[in-house]
Amino acid sequence: MMGSTNGLAGAQGTQPLFSFGVISDVQYADIPDGRSFLGVPRYYRHSIVVLQRAVKRWNDQKRHNFVINFGDIVDGFCPKDQSLDAVRRVVDKFEDFNGPVYHMIGNHCLYNLPRTKLLPLLKIPSVDGRAYYDFSPTPEFRFVVLDGYDISAIGWPQEHPNTIEALKFLEERNPNTDKNSPAGLVGLERRFLMFNGAVGKEQLEWLDDILKEATKLKHKVVICCHLPLDPGSSAKEALLWNYDEVMSVVHQYNCVKVCLAGHDHKGGHSVDSHGIHHRVLEAALECPPGTDAYGYIDVYDDKLELTGTDRMKSTDMLYNPQADLQDNWH
């Protein structure tokens, strides 16, 4: 598909309104390569090299207004006495980009550092340790960054109401001693694992307010969250606990065009019943040496066009709800 374009102009010869770089799940650690619990190889030291190449490419292209990192900046296996240095090291690589970088938190970030330390390092605007925010790169567009670990058993102090609520939630829904095990859980219940989390009530109300305002201002909205929000785009084990509640807020409005996520390392793409695209980005962590997974997104009036590098697949996301809703993932 991208063969028909020169990289700057879309197939119709129109310039994008703006573009931005994307990368997810760097999960760097200065430790030997390993495997996921499913046996998928993980390249902990190489992932920061992928990031360096991404930043160089984005800078060389000289046309990206900003970069979004979809979370999990360092890996949970990073030795805890190295956590702070590892996070700083990766943040410094992002800072080499000539423009703003927007971060969000993932479970691996929270295994390493508490929110109080993490959010300032990632320059996430925060009230009371919360990590959701929005920004408008142009008058027509609004980006909403959700905090998928708002209600979570990781990242908050043990006695924090959000931790207590999360543990109670898991206790009721996951009978396993190991709350990261989906054994015996069926279908969509398999998301009730400790490495996932939920969007809390206040954040849902905030999201509703943002979408109301965006509708009034005729903004098109892109939602970004570390955790995927649609079962069609992701393994069931990777979904936000209350993705259904979030999407029922989103589906009350017509302003949200695309939801972007990380967390499920193999990536995915779906179009939901309301014509919203869900694109889960492939992980930098799973790139064998010499391979890459990053990309950039060109934003047009009627679509987002992801141009992926190597293991990150390119995807056209037309957001005309009447458009043919077939899967454009290639």
Side-chain angles (χ1 to χ4, degrees):
M1 179 76 200
M2 285 309 298
S4 63
T5 72
N6 63 9
L8 254 183
Q12 317 77 7
T14 52
Q15 296 285 330
L17 302 169
F18 62 94
S19 74
F20 60 98
V22 292
I23 194 166
S24 190
D25 297 85
V26 174
Q27 281 181 230
Y28 166 72
D30 187 10
I31 56 174
D33 296 342
R35 290 179 181 272
S36 74
F37 66 97
L38 294 172
V40 179
R42 293 183 160 182
Y43 304 93
Y44 299 111
R45 290 186 175 121
H46 180 250
S47 65
I48 201 166
V49 181
V50 176
L51 172 60
Q52 281 171 291
R53 284 199 291 256
V55 170
K56 184 181 185 313
R57 175 76 64 85
W58 295 325
N59 283 338
D60 289 349
Q61 287 167 332
K62 290 188 174 56
R63 64 190 198 83
H64 305 308
N65 302 52
F66 54 92
V67 161
I68 304 183
N69 160 39
F70 282 82
D72 279 2
I73 196 162
V74 292
D75 193 81
F77 283 128
C78 177
K80 295 302 158 268
D81 58 347
Q82 294 174 27
S83 292
L84 194 57
D85 285 345
V87 171
R88 283 195 179 123
R89 200 172 161 199
V90 184
V91 168
D92 286 348
K93 297 290 179 243
F94 274 107
E95 298 282 315
D96 290 338
F97 174 69
N98 302 326
V101 178
Y102 297 95
H103 293 279
M104 63 199 79
I105 53 174
N107 49 313
H108 282 266
C109 310
L110 297 168
Y111 296 148
N112 279 277
L113 294 175
R115 283 169 176 261
T116 46
K117 281 215 169 77
L118 195 60
L119 301 190
L121 283 169
L122 299 177
K123 297 188 172 70
I124 291 177
S126 169
V127 179
D128 296 335
R130 296 194 170 89
Y132 52 88
Y133 61 99
D134 71 306
F135 64 96
S136 269
T138 67
E140 312 87 4
F141 272 84
R142 169 106 40 126
F143 282 68
V144 174
V145 178
L146 297 179
D147 178 352
Y149 292 89
D150 185 5
I151 306 301
S152 165
I154 43 179
W156 297 104
Q158 273 314 107
E159 65 289 352
H160 196 285
N162 295 5
T163 311
I164 293 162
E165 188 181 333
L167 289 169
K168 182 171 178 284
F169 181 95
L170 279 172
E171 200 51 54
E172 288 166 4
R173 288 165 181 81
N174 185 335
N176 297 310
T177 318
D178 172 7
K179 297 298 180 206
N180 276 326
S181 166
L185 298 177
V186 177
L188 288 165
E189 292 175 355
R190 294 177 73 82
R191 71 187 188 276
F192 299 132
L193 304 172
M194 198 183 268
F195 57 66
N196 299 328
V199 163
K201 190 168 169 296
E202 280 177 53
Q203 188 177 177
L204 282 172
E205 285 165 8
W206 170 84
L207 175 63
D208 191 52
D209 288 344
I210 294 273
L211 299 183
K212 208 171 272 153
E213 190 184 314
T215 303
K216 209 181 305 174
L217 298 170
K218 297 192 162 45
H219 283 169
K220 294 183 174 82
V221 177
V222 176
I223 290 181
C224 304
C225 184
H226 179 66
L227 292 154
L229 299 172
D230 186 64
S233 66
S234 150
K236 296 175 179 65
E237 293 82 357
L239 290 163
L240 184 82
W241 288 343
N242 64 335
Y243 77 87
D244 46 348
E245 278 187 293
V246 171
M247 291 313 298
S248 75
V249 172
V250 169
H251 289 152
Q252 285 168 36
Y253 304 92
N254 293 317
C255 54
V256 176
K257 305 303 173 189
V258 174
C259 297
L260 300 171
H263 195 51
D264 188 5
H265 294 179
K266 69 183 183 309
H269 176 232
S270 62
V271 182
D272 71 22
S273 57
H274 288 64
I276 297 173
H277 287 265
H278 293 261
R279 181 67 172 87
V280 178
L281 302 171
E282 292 81 359
L285 173 68
E286 292 186 359
C287 293
T291 66
D292 284 308
Y294 60 86
Y296 64 86
I297 293 180
D298 285 324
V299 179
Y300 297 90
D301 261 330
D302 61 341
K303 67 174 175 178
L304 263 62
E305 201 169 70
L306 165 61
T307 301
T309 303
D310 203 2
R311 294 170 67 87
M312 188 175 285
K313 295 182 172 74
S314 297
T315 313
D316 292 344
M317 295 171 270
L318 281 163
Y319 37 74
N320 172 3
Q322 280 72 50
D324 184 6
L325 296 185
Q326 90 228 23
D327 193 331
N328 282 337
W329 197 30
H330 54 273

